[in-house]
Amino acid sequence: MHTTRFAPSPNGRLHLGHAFAALTAARAADGGRFLLRIEDLDPSRARPEFIAGIEEDLAWLGLGWEKPVLRQSTRFEAYGSAVAALAAERLLYPCFCTRKDIAAEIAGASVAPRAEDAAIYPGICRGLSVAERDRRIALGHSHVTRLDCAKAAARLAALSFTELGEGPKGERGAVAVDPALLGDIVIARKDTPVAYHLAVVLDDAFQGVTLVTRGKDLFPATHVQRLLQALLALPAPLYAHHSLILDAEGRKYSKRDRAVTLQSLRNRGVGGGEIRRRLGFAG
Ligand code: GLU
């Protein structure tokens, strides 16, 4: 028996890919606890009607979950304390780069960034002196806060996480953490005092999640998330990454695919049970 969670960002209606993820997480709880977490860190994108829609769609699928539902927007104090703890360890640095600066640096670099589908931050601001950082902050230059992942990894013994599903290259079992896989990730943003990776690990620990089930597209994120857990002395859940539901062209469903939102399927007279069966969750 496990505590699992489905953690959607409420910036659109749920589609078939989300339904598969939610049903997978609920099934993996195996009679244990199934939680819903609303990842509404970005107030400009998270809309109340999407939050209501998530609950409506999951209930229609026949799922039940524990109440109250945790919303990330209520947790800024906890996130702030964790950011302060990492800062006190001197593991963070301000980054003043614009997207354009980063793209230009990558284009001019002789070594290609390593992540398959995302540009790795090339570390432009990592080496700024404390005086220069302070000067720019005093001048009001806007910045994000990044994790110095090499420095962080140097503080820790080699790490691994346990994969019960499968990574994109068939990784399973004890997976050795590559702390630099995603580079110096953003820990806190300009508009919100925290970003995705840190919020997720804090919330998984806070909610007592023992098994994280989610799509394979988030497998690479697990490396740095395991690093953050170790830095903050949080327990490490098990992971089970699942395959993604793809459209006829072999692409991941996205917010664009209005025809496969659960709302539009329901409006066309499709039943929740039918969707469960279609996605391989009979009964
Ligand atoms: N909220 C994230 C998303 O919608 C998923 C969080 C997670 O499972 O790590 O992509």
Side-chain angles (χ1 to χ4, degrees), residues 32-240:
R33 300 169 63 204
F34 171 60
L35 310 174
L36 171 64
R37 183 166 75 228
I38 301 293
E39 305 220 312
D40 56 347
L41 281 182
D42 182 350
S44 65
R45 298 181 70 204
R47 300 226 302 259
E49 63 267 34
F50 293 143
I51 298 177
I54 287 168
E55 302 210 2
E56 189 186 337
D57 291 341
L58 295 179
W60 173 74
L61 277 175
L63 290 172
W65 55 93
E66 277 188 27
K67 311 275 182 331
V69 169
L70 187 68
R71 290 193 188 181
Q72 290 192 319
S73 57
T74 63
R75 298 255 303 143
F76 285 120
E77 224 175 280
Y79 304 146
S81 309
V83 173
L86 295 172
E89 294 288 325
R90 301 190 184 288
L91 295 174
L92 306 182
Y93 63 88
C95 167
F96 304 89
C97 293
T98 59
R99 280 172 201 270
K100 239 166 103 186
D101 293 335
I102 297 172
E105 173 81 8
I106 288 171
S110 54
V111 181
R114 290 168 49 222
E116 277 96 41
D117 48 17
I120 299 269
Y121 176 64
I124 303 164
C125 290
R126 193 190 303 125
L128 290 181
S129 67
V130 174
E132 179 59 16
R133 289 174 185 174
D134 291 349
R135 190 186 70 83
R136 294 195 195 183
I137 290 171
L139 285 172
H141 291 190
S142 86
H143 65 276
V144 298
T145 302
R146 291 185 182 274
L147 176 73
D148 185 333
C149 63
K151 200 168 170 187
R155 302 264 176 98
L156 300 162
L159 295 168
S160 65
F161 62 88
T162 303
E163 176 62 46
L164 302 181
E166 207 178 67
K169 293 180 190 138
E171 300 93 332
R172 54 169 66 233
V175 178
V177 166
D178 175 356
L181 189 67
L182 297 188
D184 288 353
I185 52 149
V186 173
I187 286 287
R189 296 187 304 205
K190 294 184 174 107
D191 45 350
T192 43
V194 69
Y196 160 71
H197 297 288
L198 182 61
V200 161
V201 299
L202 289 169
D203 290 343
D204 285 337
F206 177 68
Q207 296 191 285
V209 170
T210 59
L211 173 62
V212 170
T213 78
R214 58 185 180 189
K216 261 184 199 170
D217 51 338
L218 287 171
F219 182 86
T222 314
H223 289 262
V224 74
Q225 291 179 6
R226 180 71 195 93
L227 181 72
L228 289 171
Q229 286 155 358
L231 289 172
L232 295 165
L234 302 172
L238 304 171
Y239 290 85

